[in-house]
Amino acid sequence: MPRPSKNEVPPPAGHVWIEEAAQRMSLTVQTLYNYRKQGKGPQGIPWPRRLAFNIAEIEAHLDERRQRAIRPTRLHESRPAEPRLARRTRAAA
């Protein structure tokens, strides 16, 4: 993680730096980098040597996550149950 500088540059208006964005989303900074690379989370804008995230995009992403938690699209991710086959009985000899 970068060392905090003495002359902290403020983020652009309506944005936060990646560290604060990760804290707001309850994620680690590395997870937020991974989400950005995979296209899952809010897309940050590159700023000289940093990433800035739009606060409205963070809130929209959190709202979407809450909605999916309330109303999941699928019951679960596992395979459907396979039908049971009848047991073969041994023929009496």
Side-chain angles (χ1 to χ4, degrees), residues 22-37:
Q23 185 178 14
R24 285 179 180 226
M25 297 174 70
S26 301
L27 300 171
T28 64
V29 172
Q30 186 60 50
T31 302
L32 197 50
Y33 276 121
N34 293 343
Y35 278 9
R36 183 173 183 266
K37 185 176 179 181

Side-chain angles (χ1 to χ4, degrees), residues 81-87:
E82 295 180 11
R84 292 184 175 238
L85 301 175
R87 286 183 133 182

